[in-house]
Amino acid sequence: MGLIYYITQVQFDFGALALVRAECERAGIRRPLICTDRGVVGAGLLDRLKAALGDMPVAVFDQTPSNPTEAAVMKAVDAYRAHGADGLVALGGGSPIDLAKGVAIMAAHPGVLADYATILGGSPKITAAVAPLIAIPTTAGTGSEVARGAIIILNDGRKLGFHSWHIVPKTAICDPELTFGLPPKLTAATGMDAVAHCVETYLSKAVNPPADAIAHDGLTRALKHIDRAVNQPTDREARWNMMSASMQGAMAFQKGLGAVHSLSHALGALPIGPHHGTLNAVLLPEVIKFNEAAVPDKVQAIADVFGVRGGSALAGAIRDLNRRLGLPSGLGEMGIGPEVYDEIATQALKDHCHATNPRAATHADYIAILAASA
């Protein structure tokens, strides 16, 4: 069993789920609320978690939407209090884990969720009083299990980030076997989310050499194994390495992300609810081309992993990968048209990831990226 301590404790290997009760007890959790979604329940993974928890008294909130919302967070807070819970176990992809982070904040702090949003100056208000959280990913993409942030849609429609070292899960339990039942299209979309995290944080203008090394290795693992994970869902080596790539992307993006995420966060708040990883996959080629002038050596280091020369060739290689994995070729195929570009660009300028893009992007730049990604 690989025991890793970087940002938080990670239990990583096949069969790691069996350690969940011991990890809850280590974190002082004896009456957990499990945050999950209906898809995870339908796949039988909740039953496996309950079995691993044994006779520990649990309650379940399984109404996490595909993009977590403030309303769902507050419903889960009600369930947390009704159960007399003393901690949280998140089971699922990034949505249940991010929702659980919102619950961890609001179960222990006054006011409304917006009070704690990063872009609104709320991060310092998040204290050590947060409810303890154990995170168990069932997808290999977001890496939220080792991240200090959560992305949640507020009641007013804004999709905002919440960041604090206090909301990092006490333990991430990464059991690649839990991803075996993930459908091919979702495997592809979440896998490209991991790729985007590794690429974008590597290119970010913030200085963090260890994060760069982790991101570069994560990208290498993802590119070597993503096709097999999509086409051979029970390939143990492929699933292990994709879960590692996902975790590594999030370990690294403590450094910061960039324009891909500034735009995908804004687009993710649209009523059609586009998938975050798919958005990142579609936007990544044009953002790389935009950023190449600012960080040409770093772009080439990424291009080397793909076996090509230059940003344009790298963008083409990513488009080819998206096509091979069965992902959309552009935003139009996802139902996103030019009528929203102006507002999306306006919101992207306000996003917390905008500041760490290696090249300063203007409103016009964001519109041009969107148009070229159509």
Side-chain angles (χ1 to χ4, degrees), residues 58-92:
V58 303
V60 176
F61 180 83
D62 63 2
Q63 300 172 50
T64 305
S66 57
N67 287 293
T69 62
E70 180 179 3
V73 166
M74 297 315 298
K75 283 184 181 179
V77 169
D78 290 342
Y80 183 93
R81 291 172 175 157
H83 180 56
D86 56 9
L88 297 145
V89 176
L91 178 70

Side-chain angles (χ1 to χ4, degrees), residues 3-4 15 23 36-37 49 58 72 120 146 151 192 242 247 253 257 259 290 293 298 301-302 306 316 363 368 370:
L3 176 61
I4 305 165
E23 290 300 335
T36 188
D37 61 40
L49 172 57
V58 303
L120 302 178
V146 294
I151 305 296
M192 285 305 296
M242 287 308 299
M247 177 187 69
F253 71 49
L257 292 164
F290 174 77
K298 283 202 158 189
I302 296 297
F306 281 81
H363 186 276
L370 290 165

Side-chain angles (χ1 to χ4, degrees), residues 151-173:
I151 305 296
I152 299 170
I153 299 175
L154 300 187
N155 290 339
D156 62 11
R158 290 177 295 171
K159 190 171 188 177
L160 299 184
F162 299 80
H163 297 83
S164 169
W165 293 111
H166 295 303
I167 61 172
V168 176
K170 301 299 183 186
T171 299
I173 296 177

Side-chain angles (χ1 to χ4, degrees), residues 50-369:
K50 285 182 172 180
L53 289 169
D55 61 0
M56 185 173 280
V58 303
V60 176
F61 180 83
D62 63 2
Q63 300 172 50
T64 305
S66 57
N67 287 293
T69 62
E70 180 179 3
V73 166
M74 297 315 298
K75 283 184 181 179
V77 169
D78 290 342
Y80 183 93
R81 291 172 175 157
H83 180 56
D86 56 9
L88 297 145
V89 176
L91 178 70
S95 294
I97 298 174
D98 280 8
L99 177 127
K101 290 177 181 177
V103 176
I105 295 169
M106 295 309 298
H109 293 80
V112 296
L113 193 57
D115 295 337
Y116 305 96
T118 301
I119 202 71
L120 302 178
S123 291
K125 300 176 186 176
I126 302 173
T127 73
V130 299
L133 168 62
I134 305 295
I136 308 172
T138 62
T139 66
T142 71
S144 187
E145 70 275 5
V146 294
R148 72 186 192 280
I151 305 296
I152 299 170
I153 299 175
L154 300 187
N155 290 339
D156 62 11
R158 290 177 295 171
K159 190 171 188 177
L160 299 184
F162 299 80
H163 297 83
S164 169
W165 293 111
H166 295 303
I167 61 172
V168 176
K170 301 299 183 186
T171 299
I173 296 177
C174 295
D175 186 338
E177 189 173 345
L178 301 181
T179 67
F180 280 3
L182 204 62
K185 184 166 284 189
L186 196 52
T187 298
T190 55
M192 285 305 296
D193 195 15
V195 167
H197 290 159
C198 290
V199 170
E200 192 162 40
T201 196
Y202 185 82
L203 299 181
S204 167
K205 70 181 183 181
V207 177
N208 189 327
D212 286 350
I214 291 167
H216 192 277
D217 182 79
L219 175 64
T220 303
R221 290 176 187 276
L223 288 186
K224 185 176 179 181
H225 294 94
I226 190 168
D227 289 276
R228 280 164 54 195
V230 170
N231 296 310
Q232 303 172 44
T234 58
D235 184 312
R236 291 171 67 85
E237 182 184 24
R239 289 296 195 182
W240 193 100
N241 279 280
M242 287 308 299
M243 181 158 276
S244 183
S246 172
M247 177 187 69
Q248 288 175 247
M251 283 180 168
F253 71 49
Q254 61 174 301
K255 174 189 170 190
L257 292 164
V260 171
H261 281 76
S262 298
L263 288 167
S264 65
H265 290 158
L267 288 163
L270 292 173
I272 59 173
H275 186 270
H276 176 72
T278 306
L279 287 170
N280 287 346
V282 169
L283 293 165
L284 184 58
E286 289 301 321
V287 171
I288 285 173
K289 289 167 64 177
F290 174 77
N291 283 331
E292 184 177 21
V295 282
D297 292 344
K298 283 202 158 189
V299 167
Q300 185 53 50
I302 296 297
D304 287 342
V305 180
F306 281 81
V308 299
R309 295 291 301 174
S312 293
L314 174 57
I318 293 171
R319 287 195 183 93
D320 288 344
L321 176 59
N322 288 340
R323 188 178 307 112
R324 192 166 72 240
L325 296 175
L327 294 174
S329 61
L331 296 173
E333 196 174 326
M334 299 177 70
I336 299 168
E339 68 279 0
V340 302
Y341 290 177
D342 180 73
E343 178 59 23
I344 294 302
T346 298
Q347 294 304 318
L349 289 168
K350 301 175 184 178
D351 190 81
H352 61 276
C353 294
H354 170 73
T356 47
N357 196 65
R359 178 182 172 191
T362 66
H363 186 276
D365 290 329
Y366 277 131
I367 288 181
I369 290 168

